[in-house]
Amino acid sequence: LQKVHVLPQTVLYIADAETFSGHEECHEQKKARKRNSKETAIALEKLLPKRCQVLGLVTPGIVVTPMGSSSNRPQEIEEGEAGFALLFPKIDGVKIHTFHFSKDLKNRVFDESKFAEAGLKNNPDLRVVLLFGYNSWKSGATRFLHQIVNPLNEKSIILAGGQVESFTSLTSENNNAQPGDACGVVGLAFSGPQIQSATVLLDQDVADERTAEAAMQRLKAANIPERNTIGFMFACVGRGYRHYKTKRNMEADAFRKFFPNVPLFGFFGHGEIGCDRIVTGNFVLRECNDIKDDLLHGYTTVMTLIHLGSTK
């Protein structure tokens, strides 16, 4: 951090499973992979300020805009080692905080008072919630995710994210490691009156360049300011070049065509969270369709813009 002039307060880093845990795939190496992941997470956190909130995720694939310029071509990296870290400094008028909800094996009903404790309820400045489910293969994981998502499905809030392999860091917790093989949800909440955001859902029918660009036109029509804005792409592992008949980087390229100066980050995962939803500057919601919002999907891509306010 010697050359960093503004220290980060919140960090989101995402790496694919090969980068983070090594190449061991056999069942006997499961404990070794978990140990390697924890050691790598601790090493990464030592590079950051002690009071920094850190959320680290492991996913099957990565979407990243290379360092140097926001106008660089974003890359969909579906195989091979890759990762990125987003470092958020203190931003006037913006509060970013991490949260974690783990499934309680003793209670089938989630205690919604935990939302208020995490700043996700009774917070008039809440604008965007990025949600990441983990251990989605566990029994009851989908039901638990519904218990988290449904109460937050408000028209004034953007919800976006997906299902990841695991989370490796959550420094707001006393214990960074996830509790055994439990399932749960981690995430980032963005609050602040100046934040604007929009999401669009690319469903299974979006399968060529023309339909992908049409989805980006819908996102462009939201008129979210593009300066001081980040793009996120949460895609199913079943999409990418397989979905587009071996043509690679289709959705990231479509995004860049309409947002050439907005950096794009994200991942390929095991399920997607989001819908067509826009929160504009005066916070009057406009929606791209009149269908009741369904937030949990498969074989889709969710594209998200988050504008953090004007820069001085």
Side-chain angles (χ1 to χ4, degrees):
L1 294 176
Q2 290 180 356
K3 296 182 180 179
V4 176
H5 298 287
V6 180
L7 292 177
Q9 288 201 335
T10 307
V11 172
L12 170 66
Y13 72 81
I14 303 179
D16 74 285
E18 287 186 13
T19 297
F20 214 84
S21 304
H23 297 274
E24 308 95 335
E25 292 299 332
C26 61
H27 180 73
E28 290 76 11
Q29 296 292 337
K30 213 169 187 180
K31 290 183 179 179
R33 288 205 307 274
K34 286 187 177 181
R35 184 173 63 250
N36 291 342
S37 295
K38 187 173 182 179
E39 290 173 354
T40 304
I42 292 172
L44 284 170
E45 289 164 19
K46 285 182 178 179
L47 299 174
L48 300 165
K50 288 185 177 180
R51 295 183 180 180
C52 186
Q53 295 185 101
V54 183
L55 175 57
L57 306 174
V58 175
T59 62
I62 296 295
V63 180
V64 60
T65 300
M67 290 177 60
S69 172
S70 61
S71 61
N72 284 344
R73 183 192 185 200
Q75 301 290 316
E76 298 178 17
I77 304 174
E78 300 180 60
E79 293 116 2
E81 299 181 4
F84 66 85
L86 296 179
L87 283 66
F88 296 94
K90 181 179 180 180
I91 304 171
D92 290 341
V94 174
K95 181 179 179 181
I96 306 173
H97 67 269
T98 60
F99 60 86
H100 177 205
F101 303 124
S102 180
K103 186 176 184 295
D104 187 343
L105 299 177
K106 298 179 181 179
N107 298 311
R108 286 179 56 85
V109 179
F110 179 73
D111 181 3
E112 293 190 13
S113 67
K114 294 180 180 179
F115 287 133
E117 295 174 10
L120 301 179
K121 281 288 185 183
N122 305 319
N123 179 1
D125 287 334
L126 181 63
R127 298 289 181 258
V128 182
V129 179
L130 299 183
L131 297 159
F132 310 110
Y134 62 89
N135 284 347
S136 58
W137 53 271
K138 292 289 291 184
S139 175
T142 299
R143 183 175 182 273
F144 182 74
L145 183 57
H146 274 285
Q147 289 181 327
I148 301 301
V149 169
N150 290 346
L152 298 176
N153 190 2
E154 299 179 5
K155 301 297 187 181
S156 59
I157 301 172
I158 293 293
L159 297 178
Q163 299 273 19
V164 302
E165 295 274 352
S166 62
F167 79 89
T168 54
S169 295
L170 191 67
T171 52
S172 62
E173 296 283 309
N174 292 327
N175 181 7
N176 289 340
Q178 59 199 55
D181 288 326
C183 59
V185 175
V186 294
L188 291 176
F190 295 76
S191 301
Q194 67 202 39
I195 296 173
Q196 300 182 47
S197 185
T199 54
V200 293
L201 177 71
L202 286 67
D203 61 21
Q204 295 181 51
D205 294 335
V206 177
D208 56 32
E209 187 174 10
R210 179 185 61 83
T211 51
E213 291 186 357
M216 301 310 154
Q217 284 180 314
R218 297 205 317 273
L219 191 59
K220 186 79 172 182
N223 291 320
I224 300 298
E226 294 176 26
R227 185 174 176 82
N228 203 21
T229 293
I230 306 171
F232 286 98
M233 173 178 164
F234 305 115
C236 179
V237 291
R239 292 183 73 86
Y241 73 89
R242 299 174 186 85
H243 182 70
Y244 288 101
K245 297 179 173 59
T246 73
K247 188 166 184 178
R248 293 180 180 271
N249 227 64
M250 177 76 78
E251 293 176 345
D253 283 344
F255 178 89
R256 184 170 184 252
K257 180 176 180 179
F258 290 91
F259 303 96
N261 295 307
V262 177
L264 182 67
F265 301 94
F267 59 76
F268 290 89
H270 302 294
E272 303 75 60
I273 302 170
C275 65
D276 280 13
R277 183 174 289 181
I278 303 165
V279 177
T280 61
N282 60 3
F283 308 119
V284 176
L285 186 82
R286 293 178 291 116
E287 292 188 279
C288 299
N289 57 54
D290 296 322
I291 300 172
K292 184 179 179 181
D293 295 332
D294 183 8
L295 293 173
L296 303 183
H297 310 278
Y299 299 103
T300 65
T301 297
V302 175
M303 286 286 188
T304 305
L305 292 175
I306 302 177
H307 171 66
L308 298 173
S310 60
T311 53
K312 295 180 180 179

